[in-house]
Structure formats: structure tokens, C-alpha cells
């Protein structure tokens, strides 16, 4: 036996080429999804104070932005509709006249199969009270009644040209309700990416500002998951898989790497993670204050989410990563 030490992990760290050869994890650019916010009107490109570098677009401007993004290699687009008119029944969530329907059909007509269009499906941006479901007279979020509205909206999105439906509401049984409705409408090949494991997180703050979707009173704790629970995440994931989900998602991402890793072990469906608005804002504002190198912390966070087991990542960094050739 020769002298100390025989094992020298540093040997494989001596040059960039050796480090790349030995690296276990790589972010895959083609598996990133860029979020977009659509608003009414025309020629609208609105800054969002809580999300530096992210904008709200009217449909005409949205088309231009998606075209630019496509040129830099972004194919996957998740869309949030932010209509002006809201009511108690979330009427604006579906139908040919709805903002999201017009956004989807315009983009699909323009870009065809070059783009993967993923409408987020939830009632919170469409209800006057800002809750993710219909309310009873006593203020309870009604699960099964909400599922019926979501299922109708899913069909409407599929007819408008959605490539994947992404329910983010966290009602029980909504994946099955949506699957059944899609199948009955002849959309049996439209996949569902379920926000299966969505926590009642404080990291959605900047998004709610962007979407004006904060609940007028109360919170989302009666449907989104308790942040203290990890085993329950497995129950949610199994449930969605059994109901016909095609992709499972964990949200937020960075504070829940343990949950991503556990689902990677237990589940066999493709696994996505959403690096949410508060995660993005924390890094973007830290960089603005001179406390972080934006490119480095963005790539490190995306690498960590990948290393934990996420194959698909929804991230507000997608555009910069592509446009500025961060990798
Ligand atoms: C809609 C929805 C939210 C997010 C995605 N879909 C907000 C919420 O649940 O309050 C958050 C995304 C983000 O923070 O980037 N329900």
C-alpha cells in the first residue's frame, strides 16, 4: 500500500475537459419551458415590477416575442391568460372569445408544430375573488363543481391548439375529469402535465403580482399542499398517474429538491419542476444589488434541480439562457 491518499477526487477536476467528462448532470436546453403572460388589447408590453425582465403581452406582441424566442431555440411555452373581466364563475377561463383561446389559436396558426403550447389551467386569474375554484355561499372552495369547469376549459384549450394541458389548481380528481372530457371531445392524444405536487408556497408572490391573482381574502392552504409534507407528495403523484397524467410536476423547485428526488425514485412518468417566480426574483434582485452573478446562480440553480431528478424545468431564466447563450 502506497502513501496517503490513494483516492484523489481532485484528479478529475484538473481541467475543464476532464470536469465535463466526469460531470454527472447536464441541463438540457430543449427541456426548458418559458412562461408568458397574455393580456387584452394591442401593442401592450408591460413590465412586471416583481419580475425583472419578464413582461405581459397583448396577443399581437406575444406573437412577436414567441417568434424571437423560437429563433433563439425556445420551443416550449407555458401561457397564463390575464383577462380584465373577472366574475364569480370564472366565465373567462374558456370559450372561443376568451383571451387564452385567442392567444392559443393565434400562436398555433402562426407557428404550427414548431411550438409546444402549454396553457396553465386554473380559475384564480378568472375569478373576481381570486380563488382557484368556485366558492360555496359559505366561502368554501367547491372541489367537484370546479372540476367540471376545468374540464370544459381543457377541451376549449385543446380545440384552440394547445399541445399539452397543465392544470395548476390542485382540486382532487381534476386530472381524471379533464382526461375524460378530452377523450369525449376526441382529444385523446392531448397530454396532461399535472401540477401534481404544488405547495402552498410563499414563493408565488411575484407571480400573483404579475397575474393580479392573489386571493381577495384567505389563502390557498385548503387545496395546495402543506409545506411540511413530503410523503403526501407521493400520494398526490400516484393519484395523478392513476388518473392518466402524462407528466408530473413539483412546484416550487429549489426549496423542494428532496421531493423531486423522492418522486424520481418512486414514479416512472416524466418529471417536471417549476422554478417559480419567487425563486427567480430572489436571484434576479440579488444580482441587481451586486450580491450574485446572475448567469452563475441561474445555471447553478437549474443544475441542482436537474441533479435532484427533474427532466423538464419551467423557468423564467429560459429566455436569457437561450438569448444570451449562457451555455
Ligand atoms: C395558478 C398558478 C400560480 C403559479 C402557476 N400557476 C399561482 C398560484 O398558485 O398562486 C405560480 C407560478 C410562479 O410563481 O411562477 N394557480
Amino acid at each position: 500500500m502506497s502513501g496517503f491518499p490513494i483516492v484523489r477526487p481532485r484528479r478529475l477536476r484538473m481541467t475543464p475537459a476532464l470536469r465535463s467528462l466526469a460531470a454527472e448532470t447536464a441541463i438540457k436546453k430543449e427541456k426548458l419551458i418559458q412562461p408568458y403572460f397574455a393580456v387584452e388589447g394591442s401593442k401592450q408590453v408591460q413590465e412586471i415590477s416583481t419580475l425583472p425582465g419578464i413582461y405581459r403581452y397583448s396577443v399581437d406582441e406575444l406573437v412577436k416575442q414567441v417568434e424571437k424566442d423560437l429563433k433563439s431555440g425556445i420551443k416550449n411555452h407555458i401561457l397564463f391568460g390575464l383577462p380584465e373581466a373577472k366574475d364569480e364563475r370564472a366565465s373567462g377561463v374558456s370559450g372561443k372569445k376568451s383571451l387564452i383561446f385567442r392567444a392559443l389559436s393565434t400562436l398555433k396558426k402562426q407557428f404550427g408544430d414548431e411550438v409546444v403550447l402549454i396553457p396553465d389551467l386554473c380559475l384564480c386569474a378568472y375569478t373576481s375573488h381570486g380563488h382557484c375554484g368556485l366558492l360555496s355561499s359559505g366561502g368554501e372552495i367547491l372541489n367537484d363543481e370546479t372540476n367540471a369547469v376545468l374540464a370544459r376549459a381543457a377541451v376549449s384549450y385543446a380545440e384552440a391548439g394547445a399541445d399539452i394541458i397543465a392544470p395548476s389548481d390542485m382540486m382532487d380528481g381534476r386530472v381524471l375529469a379533464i382526461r375524460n372530457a378530452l377523450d369525449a371531445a376526441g382529444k385523446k392524444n392531448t397530454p396532461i402535465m399535472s401540477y401534481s405536487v404544488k405547495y402552498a408556497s410563499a414563493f408565488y408572490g411575484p407571480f400573483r403580482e404579475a397575474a393580479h391573482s392573489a386571493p381577495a381574502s384567505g389563502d390557498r392552504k385548503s387545496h395546495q399542499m402543506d409545506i411540511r409534507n413530503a410523503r403526501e407528495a407521493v400520494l398526490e403523484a400516484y393519484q395523478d398517474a392513476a388518473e392518466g397524467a402524462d407528466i408530473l410536476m413539483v412546484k416550487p423547485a429549489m426549496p423542494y429538491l428532496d421531493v423531486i428526488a423522492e418522486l424520481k425514485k418512486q414514479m416512472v412518468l416524466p418529471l417536471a419542476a417549476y422554478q417559480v417566480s419567487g425563486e427567480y426574483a430572489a436571484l434576479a434582485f440579488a444580482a441587481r444589488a451586486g450580491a450574485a452573478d446572475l448567469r452563475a446562480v441561474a445555471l447553478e440553480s437549474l443544475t441542482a434541480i436537474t441533479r435532484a431528478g427533474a427532466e423538464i424545468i419551467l423557468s423564467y431564466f429560459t429566455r436569457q439562457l437561450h438569448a444570451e447563450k449562457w451555455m
Side-chain angles (χ1 to χ4, degrees):
M1 182 113 163
S2 67
F4 166 86
I6 291 265
V7 177
R8 288 183 186 270
R10 289 189 58 203
R11 285 184 198 115
L12 289 177
R13 297 179 197 150
M14 287 300 156
T15 67
L18 277 172
R19 289 195 289 276
S20 289
L21 180 69
E24 299 169 28
T25 302
I27 302 167
K28 295 200 180 91
K29 284 169 88 172
E30 70 276 14
K31 298 215 176 213
L32 296 176
I33 303 175
Q34 172 70 35
Y36 299 81
F37 298 101
V39 291
E40 306 278 6
S42 65
K43 298 198 171 59
Q44 296 294 310
V45 180
Q46 305 170 354
E47 276 191 33
I48 301 166
S49 62
T50 51
L51 285 174
I54 305 294
Y55 303 86
R56 302 185 198 93
Y57 304 96
S58 50
V59 175
D60 53 333
E61 294 291 337
L62 182 65
V63 170
K64 289 187 208 159
Q65 185 60 53
V66 168
E67 184 163 28
K68 248 189 248 167
D69 290 342
L70 260 175
K71 284 198 181 118
S72 71
I74 301 170
K75 296 201 166 67
N76 311 314
H77 316 269
I78 185 156
L79 302 177
F80 298 92
L82 315 180
E84 271 158 26
K86 305 183 185 212
D87 60 29
E88 285 200 356
R89 306 204 54 82
S91 321
V93 71
S94 62
K96 287 206 162 71
K97 289 195 180 130
S98 68
L99 172 62
I100 185 81
F101 190 100
R102 284 180 279 123
L104 286 166
S105 55
T106 308
L107 290 170
K108 203 43 161 187
K109 208 180 287 163
Q110 186 94 4
F111 303 112
D113 288 344
E114 270 185 276
V115 290
V116 177
L117 299 178
I118 312 170
D120 178 274
L121 173 54
C122 185
L123 303 193
C124 62
Y126 302 91
T127 49
S128 41
H129 44 68
H131 282 292
C132 305
L134 303 178
L135 293 187
S136 72
S137 50
E140 186 194 329
I141 297 174
L142 296 166
N143 192 91
D144 303 11
E145 292 80 351
T146 298
N147 282 346
V149 178
L150 294 168
R152 271 201 304 279
V155 170
S156 153
Y157 297 174
E159 285 168 351
D163 294 288
I164 300 178
I165 307 293
S168 67
D169 52 283
M170 288 298 277
M171 295 302 112
D172 290 329
R174 91 278 209 207
V175 172
L176 184 61
I178 292 168
R179 184 71 272 153
N180 283 339
L182 288 171
D183 290 358
K187 296 287 179 188
K188 63 178 191 300
N189 288 327
T190 302
I192 299 172
M193 174 167 73
S194 175
Y195 288 69
S196 304
V197 178
K198 177 172 175 180
Y199 285 92
S201 169
F203 284 91
Y204 310 145
F207 174 96
R208 290 184 191 165
E209 171 55 32
H212 305 301
S213 67
S217 65
D219 54 38
R220 307 225 197 281
K221 290 182 181 164
S222 82
H223 50 296
Q224 298 180 349
M225 275 183 56
D226 192 307
I227 62 168
R228 295 168 288 192
N229 296 350
R231 288 165 61 237
E232 191 189 352
V234 180
L235 175 65
E236 286 281 4
Y238 269 113
Q239 179 77 19
D240 282 1
E243 290 180 22
D246 301 280
I247 300 173
L248 304 173
M249 192 206 297
V250 175
K251 173 186 171 189
M254 278 260 275
Y256 298 90
L257 296 180
D258 58 326
V259 175
I260 296 172
E262 188 59 30
L263 291 199
K264 183 69 167 193
K265 266 189 238 151
Q266 299 227 22
M267 311 304 294
V268 292
L269 288 173
L271 186 58
Y274 197 146
Q275 182 181 48
V276 299
S277 57
E279 300 178 68
Y280 170 83
L283 301 182
F285 284 114
R288 285 201 168 185
D293 170 341
L294 189 63
R295 173 181 174 275
V297 291
L299 291 181
E300 184 170 339
S301 63
L302 292 169
T303 301
I305 295 162
T306 307
R307 194 189 60 234
E311 297 141 45
I312 298 167
I313 304 178
L314 300 88
S315 171
Y316 299 91
F317 287 120
T318 301
R319 177 172 303 130
Q320 257 178 305
L321 185 143
H322 282 81
E324 295 173 21
K325 302 204 177 5
W326 276 355
M327 51 174 281

